[in-house]
PDB file of all heavy atoms in Angstrom:
ATOM      1  N   THR A   1       9.501  -4.263 -27.139  1.00  0.00           N
ATOM      2  CA  THR A   1      10.046  -5.517 -27.626  1.00  0.00           C
ATOM      3  C   THR A   1      11.488  -5.680 -27.128  1.00  0.00           C
ATOM      4  O   THR A   1      12.098  -4.712 -26.593  1.00  0.00           O
ATOM      5  CB  THR A   1      10.013  -5.571 -29.161  1.00  0.00           C
ATOM      6  OG1 THR A   1      10.791  -4.480 -29.674  1.00  0.00           O
ATOM      7  CG2 THR A   1       8.595  -5.392 -29.661  1.00  0.00           C
ATOM      8  N   SER A   2      12.101  -6.832 -27.356  1.00  0.00           N
ATOM      9  CA  SER A   2      13.451  -7.084 -26.883  1.00  0.00           C
ATOM     10  C   SER A   2      14.455  -6.178 -27.562  1.00  0.00           C
ATOM     11  O   SER A   2      15.557  -5.958 -27.012  1.00  0.00           O
ATOM     12  CB  SER A   2      13.832  -8.564 -27.132  1.00  0.00           C
ATOM     13  OG  SER A   2      13.725  -8.905 -28.495  1.00  0.00           O
ATOM     14  N   ASP A   3      14.133  -5.646 -28.723  1.00  0.00           N
ATOM     15  CA  ASP A   3      15.039  -4.702 -29.378  1.00  0.00           C
ATOM     16  C   ASP A   3      14.605  -3.242 -29.163  1.00  0.00           C
ATOM     17  O   ASP A   3      15.113  -2.324 -29.868  1.00  0.00           O
ATOM     18  CB  ASP A   3      15.126  -4.994 -30.897  1.00  0.00           C
ATOM     19  CG  ASP A   3      13.804  -4.956 -31.600  1.00  0.00           C
ATOM     20  OD1 ASP A   3      12.754  -4.808 -30.966  1.00  0.00           O
ATOM     21  OD2 ASP A   3      13.799  -5.034 -32.854  1.00  0.00           O
ATOM     22  N   GLY A   4      13.753  -3.023 -28.167  1.00  0.00           N
ATOM     23  CA  GLY A   4      13.472  -1.672 -27.691  1.00  0.00           C
ATOM     24  C   GLY A   4      12.390  -0.906 -28.428  1.00  0.00           C
ATOM     25  O   GLY A   4      12.294   0.324 -28.236  1.00  0.00           O
ATOM     26  N   VAL A   5      11.576  -1.558 -29.202  1.00  0.00           N
ATOM     27  CA  VAL A   5      10.498  -0.909 -29.982  1.00  0.00           C
ATOM     28  C   VAL A   5       9.222  -0.880 -29.130  1.00  0.00           C
ATOM     29  O   VAL A   5       8.851  -1.884 -28.516  1.00  0.00           O
ATOM     30  CB  VAL A   5      10.253  -1.580 -31.317  1.00  0.00           C
ATOM     31  CG1 VAL A   5       9.098  -0.952 -32.029  1.00  0.00           C
ATOM     32  CG2 VAL A   5      11.505  -1.532 -32.157  1.00  0.00           C
ATOM     33  N   ASN A   6       8.552   0.223 -29.103  1.00  0.00           N
ATOM     34  CA  ASN A   6       7.265   0.359 -28.369  1.00  0.00           C
ATOM     35  C   ASN A   6       6.242  -0.585 -28.992  1.00  0.00           C
ATOM     36  O   ASN A   6       5.981  -0.550 -30.215  1.00  0.00           O
ATOM     37  CB  ASN A   6       6.718   1.768 -28.444  1.00  0.00           C
ATOM     38  CG  ASN A   6       7.571   2.743 -27.682  1.00  0.00           C
ATOM     39  OD1 ASN A   6       8.157   2.398 -26.659  1.00  0.00           O
ATOM     40  ND2 ASN A   6       7.650   3.989 -28.143  1.00  0.00           N
ATOM     41  N   MET A   7       5.637  -1.455 -28.166  1.00  0.00           N
ATOM     42  CA  MET A   7       4.648  -2.425 -28.677  1.00  0.00           C
ATOM     43  C   MET A   7       3.427  -1.719 -29.204  1.00  0.00           C
ATOM     44  O   MET A   7       2.695  -2.290 -30.029  1.00  0.00           O
ATOM     45  CB  MET A   7       4.317  -3.430 -27.593  1.00  0.00           C
ATOM     46  CG  MET A   7       5.402  -4.393 -27.308  1.00  0.00           C
ATOM     47  SD  MET A   7       4.929  -5.739 -26.188  1.00  0.00           S
ATOM     48  CE  MET A   7       6.419  -6.727 -26.200  1.00  0.00           C
ATOM     49  N   SER A   8       3.129  -0.507 -28.755  1.00  0.00           N
ATOM     50  CA  SER A   8       1.972   0.248 -29.274  1.00  0.00           C
ATOM     51  C   SER A   8       2.128   0.538 -30.765  1.00  0.00           C
ATOM     52  O   SER A   8       1.145   0.811 -31.455  1.00  0.00           O
ATOM     53  CB  SER A   8       1.755   1.522 -28.459  1.00  0.00           C
ATOM     54  OG  SER A   8       2.896   2.377 -28.600  1.00  0.00           O
ATOM     55  N   THR A   9       3.368   0.580 -31.262  1.00  0.00           N
ATOM     56  CA  THR A   9       3.616   0.785 -32.717  1.00  0.00           C
ATOM     57  C   THR A   9       3.601  -0.506 -33.485  1.00  0.00           C
ATOM     58  O   THR A   9       3.659  -0.468 -34.709  1.00  0.00           O
ATOM     59  CB  THR A   9       4.900   1.527 -32.910  1.00  0.00           C
ATOM     60  OG1 THR A   9       6.029   0.682 -32.606  1.00  0.00           O
ATOM     61  CG2 THR A   9       5.015   2.788 -32.087  1.00  0.00           C
ATOM     62  N   ILE A  10       3.526  -1.642 -32.761  1.00  0.00           N
ATOM     63  CA  ILE A  10       3.511  -2.970 -33.416  1.00  0.00           C
ATOM     64  C   ILE A  10       2.078  -3.405 -33.661  1.00  0.00           C
ATOM     65  O   ILE A  10       1.700  -3.790 -34.753  1.00  0.00           O
ATOM     66  CB  ILE A  10       4.291  -4.004 -32.601  1.00  0.00           C
ATOM     67  CG1 ILE A  10       5.693  -3.538 -32.329  1.00  0.00           C
ATOM     68  CG2 ILE A  10       4.261  -5.335 -33.326  1.00  0.00           C
ATOM     69  CD1 ILE A  10       6.584  -3.424 -33.510  1.00  0.00           C
ATOM     70  N   ALA A  11       1.280  -3.363 -32.578  1.00  0.00           N
ATOM     71  CA  ALA A  11      -0.119  -3.874 -32.623  1.00  0.00           C
ATOM     72  C   ALA A  11      -1.055  -2.805 -32.040  1.00  0.00           C
ATOM     73  O   ALA A  11      -0.719  -2.178 -31.048  1.00  0.00           O
ATOM     74  CB  ALA A  11      -0.220  -5.189 -31.885  1.00  0.00           C
ATOM     75  N   ASN A  12      -2.198  -2.674 -32.688  1.00  0.00           N
ATOM     76  CA  ASN A  12      -3.248  -1.773 -32.199  1.00  0.00           C
ATOM     77  C   ASN A  12      -4.394  -2.553 -31.625  1.00  0.00           C
ATOM     78  O   ASN A  12      -4.837  -3.574 -32.206  1.00  0.00           O
ATOM     79  CB  ASN A  12      -3.745  -0.861 -33.296  1.00  0.00           C
ATOM     80  CG  ASN A  12      -2.729   0.155 -33.744  1.00  0.00           C
ATOM     81  OD1 ASN A  12      -2.796   0.715 -34.822  1.00  0.00           O
ATOM     82  ND2 ASN A  12      -1.728   0.442 -32.924  1.00  0.00           N
ATOM     83  N   GLU A  13      -4.936  -2.139 -30.488  1.00  0.00           N
ATOM     84  CA  GLU A  13      -6.153  -2.693 -29.922  1.00  0.00           C
ATOM     85  C   GLU A  13      -7.360  -2.320 -30.739  1.00  0.00           C
ATOM     86  O   GLU A  13      -7.504  -1.154 -31.130  1.00  0.00           O
ATOM     87  CB  GLU A  13      -6.328  -2.225 -28.465  1.00  0.00           C
ATOM     88  CG  GLU A  13      -7.526  -2.738 -27.733  1.00  0.00           C
ATOM     89  CD  GLU A  13      -8.770  -1.862 -27.840  1.00  0.00           C
ATOM     90  OE1 GLU A  13      -8.760  -0.887 -28.603  1.00  0.00           O
ATOM     91  OE2 GLU A  13      -9.769  -2.212 -27.187  1.00  0.00           O
ATOM     92  N   ILE A  14      -8.208  -3.277 -31.089  1.00  0.00           N
ATOM     93  CA  ILE A  14      -9.449  -2.945 -31.831  1.00  0.00           C
ATOM     94  C   ILE A  14     -10.632  -3.521 -31.162  1.00  0.00           C
ATOM     95  O   ILE A  14     -11.704  -3.650 -31.781  1.00  0.00           O
ATOM     96  CB  ILE A  14      -9.317  -3.407 -33.313  1.00  0.00           C
ATOM     97  CG1 ILE A  14      -9.014  -4.931 -33.366  1.00  0.00           C
ATOM     98  CG2 ILE A  14      -8.364  -2.590 -34.122  1.00  0.00           C
ATOM     99  CD1 ILE A  14      -9.092  -5.507 -34.738  1.00  0.00           C
ATOM    100  N   GLY A  15     -10.533  -3.804 -29.894  1.00  0.00           N
ATOM    101  CA  GLY A  15     -11.635  -4.346 -29.095  1.00  0.00           C
ATOM    102  C   GLY A  15     -11.087  -5.028 -27.876  1.00  0.00           C
ATOM    103  O   GLY A  15      -9.875  -5.116 -27.675  1.00  0.00           O
ATOM    104  N   LYS A  16     -11.938  -5.490 -27.033  1.00  0.00           N
ATOM    105  CA  LYS A  16     -11.502  -6.088 -25.797  1.00  0.00           C
ATOM    106  C   LYS A  16     -10.690  -7.369 -25.949  1.00  0.00           C
ATOM    107  O   LYS A  16      -9.933  -7.799 -25.097  1.00  0.00           O
ATOM    108  CB  LYS A  16     -12.710  -6.382 -24.884  1.00  0.00           C
ATOM    109  CG  LYS A  16     -13.240  -5.156 -24.141  1.00  0.00           C
ATOM    110  CD  LYS A  16     -12.214  -4.653 -23.128  1.00  0.00           C
ATOM    111  CE  LYS A  16     -12.740  -3.465 -22.366  1.00  0.00           C
ATOM    112  NZ  LYS A  16     -11.736  -2.946 -21.413  1.00  0.00           N
ATOM    113  N   THR A  17     -10.829  -8.025 -27.113  1.00  0.00           N
ATOM    114  CA  THR A  17     -10.115  -9.312 -27.291  1.00  0.00           C
ATOM    115  C   THR A  17      -9.351  -9.380 -28.601  1.00  0.00           C
ATOM    116  O   THR A  17      -8.799 -10.435 -28.919  1.00  0.00           O
ATOM    117  CB  THR A  17     -11.114 -10.468 -27.275  1.00  0.00           C
ATOM    118  OG1 THR A  17     -11.995 -10.391 -28.442  1.00  0.00           O
ATOM    119  CG2 THR A  17     -11.968 -10.459 -26.005  1.00  0.00           C
ATOM    120  N   LYS A  18      -9.244  -8.273 -29.332  1.00  0.00           N
ATOM    121  CA  LYS A  18      -8.597  -8.319 -30.653  1.00  0.00           C
ATOM    122  C   LYS A  18      -7.521  -7.288 -30.821  1.00  0.00           C
ATOM    123  O   LYS A  18      -7.656  -6.128 -30.338  1.00  0.00           O
ATOM    124  CB  LYS A  18      -9.631  -8.115 -31.769  1.00  0.00           C
ATOM    125  CG  LYS A  18     -10.572  -9.310 -32.021  1.00  0.00           C
ATOM    126  CD  LYS A  18     -11.435  -8.978 -33.224  1.00  0.00           C
ATOM    127  CE  LYS A  18     -12.373 -10.136 -33.557  1.00  0.00           C
ATOM    128  NZ  LYS A  18     -13.158  -9.877 -34.725  1.00  0.00           N
ATOM    129  N   ILE A  19      -6.505  -7.655 -31.551  1.00  0.00           N
ATOM    130  CA  ILE A  19      -5.436  -6.676 -31.948  1.00  0.00           C
ATOM    131  C   ILE A  19      -5.209  -6.844 -33.461  1.00  0.00           C
ATOM    132  O   ILE A  19      -5.560  -7.823 -34.039  1.00  0.00           O
ATOM    133  CB  ILE A  19      -4.143  -6.891 -31.174  1.00  0.00           C
ATOM    134  CG1 ILE A  19      -3.589  -8.335 -31.362  1.00  0.00           C
ATOM    135  CG2 ILE A  19      -4.297  -6.565 -29.704  1.00  0.00           C
ATOM    136  CD1 ILE A  19      -2.248  -8.568 -30.742  1.00  0.00           C
ATOM    137  N   SER A  20      -4.645  -5.786 -34.020  1.00  0.00           N
ATOM    138  CA  SER A  20      -4.336  -5.812 -35.459  1.00  0.00           C
ATOM    139  C   SER A  20      -2.910  -5.272 -35.651  1.00  0.00           C
ATOM    140  O   SER A  20      -2.522  -4.286 -35.006  1.00  0.00           O
ATOM    141  CB  SER A  20      -5.372  -4.919 -36.209  1.00  0.00           C
ATOM    142  OG  SER A  20      -5.118  -4.943 -37.597  1.00  0.00           O
ATOM    143  N   VAL A  21      -2.184  -5.953 -36.462  1.00  0.00           N
ATOM    144  CA  VAL A  21      -0.779  -5.545 -36.804  1.00  0.00           C
ATOM    145  C   VAL A  21      -0.715  -5.116 -38.232  1.00  0.00           C
ATOM    146  O   VAL A  21      -1.071  -5.856 -39.163  1.00  0.00           O
ATOM    147  CB  VAL A  21       0.179  -6.733 -36.568  1.00  0.00           C
ATOM    148  CG1 VAL A  21       1.535  -6.370 -37.153  1.00  0.00           C
ATOM    149  CG2 VAL A  21       0.296  -7.023 -35.080  1.00  0.00           C
ATOM    150  N   ALA A  22      -0.265  -3.874 -38.461  1.00  0.00           N
ATOM    151  CA  ALA A  22       0.005  -3.387 -39.816  1.00  0.00           C
ATOM    152  C   ALA A  22       1.517  -3.552 -39.986  1.00  0.00           C
ATOM    153  O   ALA A  22       2.295  -2.734 -39.551  1.00  0.00           O
ATOM    154  CB  ALA A  22      -0.420  -1.983 -40.039  1.00  0.00           C
ATOM    155  N   TYR A  23       1.951  -4.671 -40.543  1.00  0.00           N
ATOM    156  CA  TYR A  23       3.387  -4.970 -40.646  1.00  0.00           C
ATOM    157  C   TYR A  23       4.146  -3.901 -41.491  1.00  0.00           C
ATOM    158  O   TYR A  23       5.290  -3.642 -41.272  1.00  0.00           O
ATOM    159  CB  TYR A  23       3.631  -6.354 -41.150  1.00  0.00           C
ATOM    160  CG  TYR A  23       3.173  -6.593 -42.594  1.00  0.00           C
ATOM    161  CD1 TYR A  23       3.982  -6.254 -43.660  1.00  0.00           C
ATOM    162  CD2 TYR A  23       1.902  -7.111 -42.871  1.00  0.00           C
ATOM    163  CE1 TYR A  23       3.563  -6.455 -44.976  1.00  0.00           C
ATOM    164  CE2 TYR A  23       1.485  -7.269 -44.163  1.00  0.00           C
ATOM    165  CZ  TYR A  23       2.324  -6.975 -45.205  1.00  0.00           C
ATOM    166  OH  TYR A  23       1.875  -7.125 -46.508  1.00  0.00           O
ATOM    167  N   SER A  24       3.401  -3.360 -42.447  1.00  0.00           N
ATOM    168  CA  SER A  24       3.981  -2.361 -43.366  1.00  0.00           C
ATOM    169  C   SER A  24       3.118  -1.124 -43.306  1.00  0.00           C
ATOM    170  O   SER A  24       1.920  -1.212 -43.452  1.00  0.00           O
ATOM    171  CB  SER A  24       4.027  -2.906 -44.809  1.00  0.00           C
ATOM    172  OG  SER A  24       4.280  -1.891 -45.708  1.00  0.00           O
ATOM    173  N   ASN A  25       3.764   0.032 -43.103  1.00  0.00           N
ATOM    174  CA  ASN A  25       2.979   1.306 -43.106  1.00  0.00           C
ATOM    175  C   ASN A  25       3.185   2.045 -44.446  1.00  0.00           C
ATOM    176  O   ASN A  25       3.083   3.289 -44.473  1.00  0.00           O
ATOM    177  CB  ASN A  25       3.374   2.143 -41.893  1.00  0.00           C
ATOM    178  CG  ASN A  25       4.841   2.593 -41.967  1.00  0.00           C
ATOM    179  OD1 ASN A  25       5.671   1.914 -42.607  1.00  0.00           O
ATOM    180  ND2 ASN A  25       5.136   3.714 -41.313  1.00  0.00           N
ATOM    181  N   GLU A  26       3.385   1.311 -45.480  1.00  0.00           N
ATOM    182  CA  GLU A  26       3.454   1.895 -46.811  1.00  0.00           C
ATOM    183  C   GLU A  26       2.958   0.893 -47.805  1.00  0.00           C
ATOM    184  O   GLU A  26       2.830  -0.301 -47.510  1.00  0.00           O
ATOM    185  CB  GLU A  26       4.915   2.314 -47.128  1.00  0.00           C
ATOM    186  CG  GLU A  26       5.863   1.150 -47.219  1.00  0.00           C
ATOM    187  CD  GLU A  26       7.251   1.600 -47.521  1.00  0.00           C
ATOM    188  OE1 GLU A  26       7.443   2.658 -48.107  1.00  0.00           O
ATOM    189  OE2 GLU A  26       8.202   0.862 -47.182  1.00  0.00           O
ATOM    190  N   CYS A  27       2.661   1.367 -49.012  1.00  0.00           N
ATOM    191  CA  CYS A  27       2.123   0.489 -50.062  1.00  0.00           C
ATOM    192  C   CYS A  27       2.951   0.695 -51.348  1.00  0.00           C
ATOM    193  O   CYS A  27       3.148   1.812 -51.751  1.00  0.00           O
ATOM    194  CB  CYS A  27       0.645   0.819 -50.332  1.00  0.00           C
ATOM    195  SG  CYS A  27      -0.097  -0.193 -51.635  1.00  0.00           S
ATOM    196  N   ALA A  28       3.378  -0.402 -51.931  1.00  0.00           N
ATOM    197  CA  ALA A  28       4.239  -0.347 -53.070  1.00  0.00           C
ATOM    198  C   ALA A  28       3.489   0.169 -54.320  1.00  0.00           C
ATOM    199  O   ALA A  28       4.104   0.483 -55.344  1.00  0.00           O
ATOM    200  CB  ALA A  28       4.826  -1.713 -53.393  1.00  0.00           C
ATOM    201  N   LEU A  29       2.161   0.245 -54.253  1.00  0.00           N
ATOM    202  CA  LEU A  29       1.412   0.736 -55.425  1.00  0.00           C
ATOM    203  C   LEU A  29       1.724   2.207 -55.754  1.00  0.00           C
ATOM    204  O   LEU A  29       1.540   2.614 -56.903  1.00  0.00           O
ATOM    205  CB  LEU A  29      -0.097   0.570 -55.210  1.00  0.00           C
ATOM    206  CG  LEU A  29      -0.622  -0.870 -55.116  1.00  0.00           C
ATOM    207  CD1 LEU A  29      -2.107  -0.896 -54.860  1.00  0.00           C
ATOM    208  CD2 LEU A  29      -0.278  -1.645 -56.352  1.00  0.00           C
ATOM    209  N   ARG A  30       2.205   2.956 -54.769  1.00  0.00           N
ATOM    210  CA  ARG A  30       2.533   4.348 -55.013  1.00  0.00           C
ATOM    211  C   ARG A  30       3.630   4.483 -56.089  1.00  0.00           C
ATOM    212  O   ARG A  30       3.581   5.370 -56.930  1.00  0.00           O
ATOM    213  CB  ARG A  30       2.970   5.059 -53.728  1.00  0.00           C
ATOM    214  CG  ARG A  30       3.571   6.434 -53.969  1.00  0.00           C
ATOM    215  CD  ARG A  30       3.662   7.249 -52.747  1.00  0.00           C
ATOM    216  NE  ARG A  30       4.615   6.715 -51.757  1.00  0.00           N
ATOM    217  CZ  ARG A  30       4.911   7.370 -50.608  1.00  0.00           C
ATOM    218  NH1 ARG A  30       4.337   8.539 -50.309  1.00  0.00           N
ATOM    219  NH2 ARG A  30       5.761   6.816 -49.760  1.00  0.00           N
ATOM    220  N   ASP A  31       4.595   3.573 -56.014  1.00  0.00           N
ATOM    221  CA  ASP A  31       5.689   3.643 -57.014  1.00  0.00           C
ATOM    222  C   ASP A  31       5.212   3.491 -58.450  1.00  0.00           C
ATOM    223  O   ASP A  31       5.890   3.960 -59.344  1.00  0.00           O
ATOM    224  CB  ASP A  31       6.729   2.549 -56.707  1.00  0.00           C
ATOM    225  CG  ASP A  31       7.336   2.688 -55.318  1.00  0.00           C
ATOM    226  OD1 ASP A  31       7.337   3.833 -54.804  1.00  0.00           O
ATOM    227  OD2 ASP A  31       7.778   1.666 -54.747  1.00  0.00           O
ATOM    228  N   LYS A  32       4.084   2.876 -58.586  1.00  0.00           N
ATOM    229  CA  LYS A  32       3.514   2.695 -59.957  1.00  0.00           C
ATOM    230  C   LYS A  32       2.389   3.688 -60.283  1.00  0.00           C
ATOM    231  O   LYS A  32       1.788   3.647 -61.350  1.00  0.00           O
ATOM    232  CB  LYS A  32       2.982   1.257 -60.111  1.00  0.00           C
ATOM    233  CG  LYS A  32       3.972   0.190 -59.810  1.00  0.00           C
ATOM    234  CD  LYS A  32       3.373  -1.221 -59.931  1.00  0.00           C
ATOM    235  CE  LYS A  32       4.406  -2.298 -59.580  1.00  0.00           C
ATOM    236  NZ  LYS A  32       5.494  -2.373 -60.571  1.00  0.00           N
ATOM    237  N   GLY A  33       2.094   4.583 -59.272  1.00  0.00           N
ATOM    238  CA  GLY A  33       1.009   5.542 -59.511  1.00  0.00           C
ATOM    239  C   GLY A  33      -0.347   4.897 -59.466  1.00  0.00           C
ATOM    240  O   GLY A  33      -1.275   5.376 -60.106  1.00  0.00           O
ATOM    241  N   LEU A  34      -0.469   3.806 -58.698  1.00  0.00           N
ATOM    242  CA  LEU A  34      -1.700   3.016 -58.735  1.00  0.00           C
ATOM    243  C   LEU A  34      -2.376   2.872 -57.375  1.00  0.00           C
ATOM    244  O   LEU A  34      -3.109   1.903 -57.094  1.00  0.00           O
ATOM    245  CB  LEU A  34      -1.408   1.610 -59.261  1.00  0.00           C
ATOM    246  CG  LEU A  34      -0.921   1.516 -60.720  1.00  0.00           C
ATOM    247  CD1 LEU A  34      -0.518   0.089 -61.096  1.00  0.00           C
ATOM    248  CD2 LEU A  34      -1.959   2.040 -61.687  1.00  0.00           C
ATOM    249  N   ASP A  35      -2.105   3.825 -56.483  1.00  0.00           N
ATOM    250  CA  ASP A  35      -2.792   3.829 -55.180  1.00  0.00           C
ATOM    251  C   ASP A  35      -4.296   3.790 -55.331  1.00  0.00           C
ATOM    252  O   ASP A  35      -4.884   4.382 -56.248  1.00  0.00           O
ATOM    253  CB  ASP A  35      -2.447   5.103 -54.418  1.00  0.00           C
ATOM    254  CG  ASP A  35      -1.104   4.974 -53.619  1.00  0.00           C
ATOM    255  OD1 ASP A  35      -0.654   3.845 -53.475  1.00  0.00           O
ATOM    256  OD2 ASP A  35      -0.574   6.012 -53.224  1.00  0.00           O
ATOM    257  N   CYS A  36      -4.972   3.099 -54.396  1.00  0.00           N
ATOM    258  CA  CYS A  36      -6.401   3.192 -54.314  1.00  0.00           C
ATOM    259  C   CYS A  36      -6.802   4.632 -53.978  1.00  0.00           C
ATOM    260  O   CYS A  36      -6.163   5.249 -53.130  1.00  0.00           O
ATOM    261  CB  CYS A  36      -6.964   2.231 -53.259  1.00  0.00           C
ATOM    262  SG  CYS A  36      -6.730   0.477 -53.625  1.00  0.00           S
ATOM    263  N   LYS A  37      -7.807   5.164 -54.605  1.00  0.00           N
ATOM    264  CA  LYS A  37      -8.122   6.572 -54.502  1.00  0.00           C
ATOM    265  C   LYS A  37      -8.543   6.989 -53.132  1.00  0.00           C
ATOM    266  O   LYS A  37      -8.449   8.166 -52.737  1.00  0.00           O
ATOM    267  CB  LYS A  37      -9.200   6.957 -55.539  1.00  0.00           C
ATOM    268  CG  LYS A  37      -8.921   6.602 -56.959  1.00  0.00           C
ATOM    269  CD  LYS A  37      -7.664   7.263 -57.507  1.00  0.00           C
ATOM    270  CE  LYS A  37      -7.496   6.963 -59.009  1.00  0.00           C
ATOM    271  NZ  LYS A  37      -6.250   7.497 -59.551  1.00  0.00           N
ATOM    272  N   PHE A  38      -9.093   6.066 -52.317  1.00  0.00           N
ATOM    273  CA  PHE A  38      -9.582   6.390 -50.982  1.00  0.00           C
ATOM    274  C   PHE A  38      -8.543   6.209 -49.934  1.00  0.00           C
ATOM    275  O   PHE A  38      -8.758   6.573 -48.760  1.00  0.00           O
ATOM    276  CB  PHE A  38     -10.793   5.482 -50.616  1.00  0.00           C
ATOM    277  CG  PHE A  38     -10.478   4.011 -50.727  1.00  0.00           C
ATOM    278  CD1 PHE A  38      -9.749   3.343 -49.806  1.00  0.00           C
ATOM    279  CD2 PHE A  38     -10.899   3.298 -51.874  1.00  0.00           C
ATOM    280  CE1 PHE A  38      -9.452   2.027 -49.895  1.00  0.00           C
ATOM    281  CE2 PHE A  38     -10.580   1.969 -51.997  1.00  0.00           C
ATOM    282  CZ  PHE A  38      -9.859   1.339 -51.021  1.00  0.00           C
ATOM    283  N   CYS A  39      -7.361   5.677 -50.288  1.00  0.00           N
ATOM    284  CA  CYS A  39      -6.376   5.249 -49.323  1.00  0.00           C
ATOM    285  C   CYS A  39      -5.347   6.340 -49.047  1.00  0.00           C
ATOM    286  O   CYS A  39      -4.873   6.997 -49.957  1.00  0.00           O
ATOM    287  CB  CYS A  39      -5.695   3.971 -49.835  1.00  0.00           C
ATOM    288  SG  CYS A  39      -4.487   3.303 -48.680  1.00  0.00           S
ATOM    289  N   ASN A  40      -4.950   6.458 -47.749  1.00  0.00           N
ATOM    290  CA  ASN A  40      -3.925   7.439 -47.398  1.00  0.00           C
ATOM    291  C   ASN A  40      -2.740   6.777 -46.674  1.00  0.00           C
ATOM    292  O   ASN A  40      -2.044   7.427 -45.857  1.00  0.00           O
ATOM    293  CB  ASN A  40      -4.533   8.592 -46.572  1.00  0.00           C
ATOM    294  CG  ASN A  40      -4.924   8.162 -45.158  1.00  0.00           C
ATOM    295  OD1 ASN A  40      -4.998   6.959 -44.845  1.00  0.00           O
ATOM    296  ND2 ASN A  40      -5.147   9.117 -44.321  1.00  0.00           N
ATOM    297  N   ILE A  41      -2.500   5.485 -46.928  1.00  0.00           N
ATOM    298  CA  ILE A  41      -1.433   4.818 -46.193  1.00  0.00           C
ATOM    299  C   ILE A  41      -0.076   5.482 -46.401  1.00  0.00           C
ATOM    300  O   ILE A  41       0.701   5.674 -45.447  1.00  0.00           O
ATOM    301  CB  ILE A  41      -1.412   3.302 -46.516  1.00  0.00           C
ATOM    302  CG1 ILE A  41      -0.355   2.603 -45.687  1.00  0.00           C
ATOM    303  CG2 ILE A  41      -1.151   3.066 -47.999  1.00  0.00           C
ATOM    304  CD1 ILE A  41      -0.381   1.052 -45.831  1.00  0.00           C
ATOM    305  N   ASN A  42       0.237   5.829 -47.645  1.00  0.00           N
ATOM    306  CA  ASN A  42       1.533   6.405 -47.904  1.00  0.00           C
ATOM    307  C   ASN A  42       1.643   7.840 -47.366  1.00  0.00           C
ATOM    308  O   ASN A  42       2.690   8.234 -46.831  1.00  0.00           O
ATOM    309  CB  ASN A  42       1.833   6.398 -49.435  1.00  0.00           C
ATOM    310  CG  ASN A  42       2.108   4.986 -49.938  1.00  0.00           C
ATOM    311  OD1 ASN A  42       2.908   4.248 -49.337  1.00  0.00           O
ATOM    312  ND2 ASN A  42       1.420   4.582 -50.973  1.00  0.00           N
ATOM    313  N   ALA A  43       0.556   8.614 -47.484  1.00  0.00           N
ATOM    314  CA  ALA A  43       0.560   9.941 -46.876  1.00  0.00           C
ATOM    315  C   ALA A  43       0.666   9.881 -45.361  1.00  0.00           C
ATOM    316  O   ALA A  43       1.340  10.714 -44.745  1.00  0.00           O
ATOM    317  CB  ALA A  43      -0.724  10.692 -47.263  1.00  0.00           C
TER     318      ALA A  43
END
């Protein structure tokens, strides 16, 4: 990007025509002890 960030950390390829952006790599539910039990986003 123009500020020097690797685009591979911005968007992930998920097929020949699609990309997905995880704008946040953390979830605020951890602060309340309410994480979904199957989820490992914060870890």
Side-chain angles (χ1 to χ4, degrees):
T1 60
S2 59
D3 58 353
V5 175
N6 293 327
M7 288 187 176
S8 62
T9 69
I10 305 295
N12 291 160
E13 180 267 8
I14 53 172
K16 280 295 182 182
T17 66
K18 288 186 177 182
I19 57 175
S20 183
V21 169
Y23 64 85
S24 165
N25 63 335
E26 64 182 336
C27 180
L29 293 179
R30 171 165 65 178
D31 299 335
K32 303 178 182 295
L34 297 174
D35 274 344
C36 294
K37 306 299 185 185
F38 55 78
C39 182
N40 72 345
I41 184 172
N42 288 311

